Amino acid sequence: MPRRYIAIALLSGLAACSDSPGPSGYSISLAPEWVAVGIGDSAQLTATALDPQGYTPLSPSITWSSSNPTVAQVSITGMVRGLSAGSATIRATYQDATDSTAALVAPPVLVGAGDIAACPSTAHDSTAALLDTIPGAVFTAGDNAYINGTIVEYLACYHPSWGRHKSRTRPSPGNHEYNTAGLGYYEYFGDMAGDSGLGYYSYDFAKWHIVSLNSNVSMAAGSAQEQWLRADLAAHPATCALAYWHHPRFSSGTTHGNEPQTQPLWQALYDLGADVVISGHEHQYERFAPQKPDSTPDATNGIREFVVGTGGAALYPFGPVRANSEVRNSTTHGVIKLTLNPNGYAWRYITAAGAIADSGSGGCH
């Protein structure tokens, strides 16, 4: 029987934040923001309580509850146990302060695309319909709401389609979000987008370590983001690791093509053994063979890149084929579905019509 997973995600607007104390000044916050457990397995949530003076009590009396204990139970110490498919809210209360996470039953699947909601076009409705049929965690590879990523555009265009899956989405921003400094992006996704203004964060899912990066701020060697990435990967030495962001290091597209400014991120990922990178920006699908950051083929330790800018925006043509490019599709919108196994992964590029246009599998380093 296939293993199902429960993803515990902190949702914007659902949970009280640690910097939002109750009327009496007490506060509580939960961590991590996202964990995954199989049915019958458990994961520990940590609650940090503070008194009105900002001190942590020696023995805080924290009350835990689940809105749907037939799906996910939680112990008096914050240990969450997955029981069955469904959803629940896990809540921790200290005095008059409460923080919450949303529990979602999902398989070890990561699915998504970039370059999504471009109203008045409705192409993003068809890719959102694909998400309706694919359980798992959802990612975005940036340019989620055109044309400037304002909160109005998110609510009017993105929310009625891909927004149906907001509670299981771990996003990344694109250059269109940064037409307005990412203000709409951070307001819409809240804590699920990482620290406001930074836009990079990581989480563990289905035994993988996953990193969402921000290619709209400095990626240079020695930059805050590059140093954070190296430290984060070193602190999470998982067998399998994946990263996604907007601008692709490699692309056979003619509108943007290769984005060499992302090389330091690729170098950090390569140095620390990452396996997969996903990007958007070019509105097409392209799969590359495992390679080094300088495009040298490397079947043993190379990173496989997928460019999936096919979420709904108008598609772009290809130009000369870049080294190591294996599959290209510039005629159909779609999403990539990655099944995350403990020692490898399988991919499917699924078109808006439901056809499988590319598939395969790979192992982790």
Side-chain angles (χ1 to χ4, degrees):
M1 182 177 185
R3 293 171 66 84
R4 296 186 178 91
Y5 285 77
I6 291 182
I8 312 291
L10 184 65
L11 302 184
S12 174
L14 176 65
C17 298
S18 59
D19 57 356
S20 300
S24 62
Y26 293 97
S27 65
I28 188 170
S29 61
L30 297 183
E33 294 182 356
W34 184 282
V35 295
V37 296
I39 291 177
D41 294 337
S42 300
Q44 181 69 54
L45 293 179
T46 300
T48 301
L50 297 175
D51 64 21
Q53 287 72 45
Y55 295 103
T56 301
L58 292 177
S59 300
S61 180
I62 296 173
T63 302
W64 295 85
S65 63
S66 170
S67 67
N68 193 344
T70 63
V71 169
Q73 291 181 343
V74 60
S75 73
I76 59 173
T77 62
M79 184 70 73
V80 177
R81 183 176 176 82
L83 299 180
S84 65
S87 61
T89 299
I90 307 299
R91 180 171 288 107
T93 301
Y94 173 59
Q95 299 293 339
D96 59 353
T98 298
D99 197 4
S100 306
T101 63
L104 168 72
V105 177
V109 167
L110 185 66
V111 58
D115 308 277
I116 300 168
C119 293
S121 168
T122 59
H124 55 279
D125 292 327
S126 61
T127 54
L130 292 176
L131 300 182
D132 294 342
T133 68
I134 304 173
V138 175
F139 76 91
T140 72
D143 283 3
N144 311 311
Y146 285 86
I147 189 164
N148 296 310
T150 66
I151 189 60
V152 171
E153 289 168 329
Y154 265 97
L155 293 176
C157 194
Y158 180 93
H159 191 69
S161 55
W162 280 56
R164 294 198 295 272
H165 306 281
K166 181 180 178 182
S167 65
R168 60 186 179 116
T169 297
R170 305 308 309 267
S172 68
N175 55 287
H176 280 269
E177 273 78 26
Y178 270 72
N179 286 345
T180 51
L183 296 177
Y185 170 79
Y186 292 111
E187 181 177 353
Y188 181 78
F189 285 110
D191 291 331
M192 294 302 285
D195 292 339
S196 182
L198 294 181
Y200 47 87
Y201 60 92
S202 69
Y203 56 98
D204 293 321
F205 180 60
K207 302 188 184 303
W208 281 59
H209 188 62
I210 300 176
V211 186
S212 174
L213 295 170
N214 185 355
S215 57
N216 304 280
V217 299
S218 179
M219 299 171 282
S223 66
Q225 180 171 208
E226 190 263 354
Q227 292 185 62
W228 172 89
L229 174 59
R230 287 184 176 274
D232 178 78
L233 293 171
H236 299 87
T239 300
C240 302
L242 177 152
Y244 53 86
W245 66 82
H246 188 58
H247 298 81
R249 172 67 185 89
F250 304 106
S251 170
S252 301
T254 58
T255 303
H256 301 295
N258 287 358
E259 298 283 351
Q261 72 271 23
T262 69
Q263 172 128 357
L265 300 185
W266 259 75
Q267 190 65 57
L269 290 161
Y270 180 82
D271 291 346
L272 289 152
D275 304 281
V276 176
V277 163
I278 306 173
S279 294
H281 199 43
E282 281 286 1
H283 300 181
Q284 53 205 207
Y285 173 80
E286 187 168 15
R287 167 167 59 86
F288 285 84
Q291 57 189 318
K292 296 181 180 181
D294 63 359
S295 79
T296 302
D298 186 349
T300 302
N301 296 309
I303 298 173
R304 184 184 297 281
E305 183 194 65
F306 297 92
V307 180
V308 195
T310 54
L315 298 171
Y316 294 160
F318 283 108
V321 176
R322 298 285 185 177
N324 306 310
S325 177
E326 295 182 317
V327 173
R328 294 163 299 284
N329 183 326
S330 61
T331 61
T332 58
H333 292 96
V335 301
I336 190 168
K337 174 186 175 184
L338 289 165
T339 300
L340 306 178
N341 302 312
N343 296 296
Y345 58 98
W347 71 84
R348 288 186 172 187
Y349 177 64
I350 306 172
T351 72
I356 299 172
D358 184 35
S359 64
S361 62
C364 295
H365 304 323

